[in-house]
Amino acid sequence: MIPEFYDKKALAKNIFWLVVLFAACKFSKGAAFAVLIPITLVFIIQARNTALLAILFVASAAMIMNPFFMPHTVPFVASQKVLMLMAAFFLALQVFGRRHSALITPLLSLFPYLIYMVFVSQGGWSPVISNMKLFLFTMIYCALYGCAVRVIDDRCDERKVRTMVLVLGIFYIFGSLVLIPFPGISYMSTEEMINNPVTISLFKGTTNHSQALGPTVAMFSVMLFADLAFSIQRFEPLYMALLAVAPFLLYRTSSRTAMGSFVAGMAFVTFFAMNSKGIVKTRWRRAITNFMLMIAVLGSISISVVPPLRDKATKFLLKSYSGETAVSKELIMASRSSVYERTLENWRRKPIVGNGFQVSDEMEGIRINGIRDMLSAPVEKCTWVYAILEEGGVIGMILFVLFLLISLGLMVKRHAYIGASMLFTFVMVNFGEFGIFSMSADGGLFWCMVFIGVILDHKRQIAAKRRDEEAFARALAFV
């Protein structure tokens, strides 16, 4: 009998309730989202930890959902922030209040960087805004960490966690595919087109922006592939269908960063699957290796031999290409060069300590009339390397790189491959646009996926240990 790796009834049920939430929010102009606040409180009190994680997952994802499904009104945004902060208030103590799995503790290594930024930000461009953003990020990060700790301690199997991933994976991947014939919903508006003149495609699918869809599809695809490679270890039809659609969606978004992150994340998973003897079955390792090699070879040959495909690939890489200019690094980076230069100039002002957490030079001396002004002070920055230097200087860069090395190194060493692949892909995505600390944008969703990846790793290891114990018991009984 072929085992079920996710709960099909629960999958259908959760998709139904997600549709109900969309309908209620659409007709109430976002106000209905507030109903999740008391539900979240009940789940916290009753210790329904898997359901609580599902609520936080949906709440994090809602911030980048297409406004057609989730209107981004003031009532919705306020309800989402209240829900996350309420969860943070009750769950933050979990960071210090109980024993943690060795798989999740590496993620605590981010705190030295955050503590350092508290002190640096007091002399930065806008200490008030930096302090508020530090508080919001830290609280939500602790909420996700605390919820993950509780779910890890639960005896629920990985099927429940996997089902909630599939619900949103289906929404973002299959949902975006279905919306292609409906440009009024799936494409950005005329005003957005004017503000994004260099963008070839404005397809945003089920997200709120074309530059949000690409990274989201990349993250979900790598998570599905990692779960397939390390936990399921067979070609599951639903997973394969989602993974087959992903590259097409990435092409439609014209997001080079998302496509690069997708390729890098898949390669990351493949590499560790190939070298995970004792965790991944030998036949499955060979199957993954042969399958990925076949895809890589066929793709390379197709692009090299077929002129239309080569032209499309070049146009995708350069975003605008006439065929008259040789491809070069300068041409590839041309669309972002001015942003890089400005960021480096800001870094040179304070090269050692930086200019403050999640602020820009336009915020220097800005008047703050209330909390609303602090919450509505978004920043748009380029790659994380430049942004970390600008905000935290050389010291901040050292602390953040140490976090990446410690967390990725320990997670790989402890075989938390799904969580490690999520963090790796998250960092790769941020080579395009810095959103690691943007909990009100895709950063909140992606951090949630990192913690969910660790949960799946822990559940996989517990299940493997249980199978080994049962096999050993049967062997003793036979003797």
Side-chain angles (χ1 to χ4, degrees), residues 147-202:
C147 186
V149 169
R150 292 176 64 159
V151 175
I152 284 174
D153 287 347
D154 272 357
R155 294 185 176 181
C156 68
D157 61 27
E158 68 271 22
R159 295 201 317 157
K160 292 184 178 180
V161 181
R162 187 174 290 128
T163 299
M164 72 175 71
V165 173
L166 285 171
V167 170
L168 287 181
I170 289 171
F171 171 73
Y172 283 119
I173 297 177
F174 283 164
S176 296
L177 182 67
V178 171
L179 286 181
I180 290 178
F182 305 97
I185 301 174
S186 60
Y187 278 76
M188 297 168 68
S189 66
T190 303
E191 181 181 351
E192 291 169 325
M193 291 181 185
I194 295 173
N195 294 331
N196 295 270
V198 299
T199 303
I200 295 174
S201 172
L202 294 171

Side-chain angles (χ1 to χ4, degrees), residues 267-411:
F268 183 93
V269 174
T270 303
F271 174 80
F272 285 105
M274 289 169 54
N275 294 277
S276 298
K277 296 180 181 179
I279 297 175
V280 179
K281 298 174 184 176
T282 302
R283 291 182 61 185
W284 179 239
R285 288 205 313 272
R286 292 174 182 170
I288 290 179
T289 303
N290 294 335
F291 178 76
M292 295 303 292
L293 184 61
M294 179 185 67
I295 295 295
V297 170
L298 289 177
S300 300
I301 293 175
S302 299
I303 292 174
S304 301
V305 174
V306 183
L309 289 178
R310 183 170 61 248
D311 291 342
K312 287 183 179 181
T314 305
K315 187 177 181 180
F316 178 87
L317 180 64
L318 302 180
K319 288 199 173 183
S320 59
Y321 180 67
S322 62
E324 300 174 358
T325 307
V327 178
S328 65
K329 177 183 177 182
E330 289 72 20
L331 190 58
I332 295 174
M333 304 299 291
S335 64
R336 298 179 182 270
S337 59
S338 61
V339 181
Y340 295 154
E341 292 172 2
R342 179 182 176 186
T343 304
L344 285 176
E345 181 61 32
N346 289 332
W347 168 61
R348 292 188 185 102
R349 296 184 186 183
K350 295 182 179 180
I352 304 301
V353 297
N355 299 282
F357 185 80
Q358 287 289 278
V359 288
S360 60
D361 51 350
E362 296 96 341
M363 297 177 183
E364 191 170 16
I366 191 174
R367 290 189 61 183
I368 304 297
N369 298 315
I371 294 179
R372 183 175 180 179
D373 289 342
M374 290 185 282
L375 296 179
S376 59
V379 289
E380 183 176 345
K381 302 197 175 186
C382 55
T383 172
W384 70 266
V385 177
Y386 288 77
I388 291 291
L389 279 173
E390 181 189 40
E391 294 186 3
V394 174
I395 298 176
M397 174 61 76
I398 292 172
L399 291 173
F400 190 78
V401 170
L402 283 175
F403 155 68
L404 294 179
L405 293 175
I406 292 170
S407 55
L408 285 172
L410 288 178
M411 289 165 75

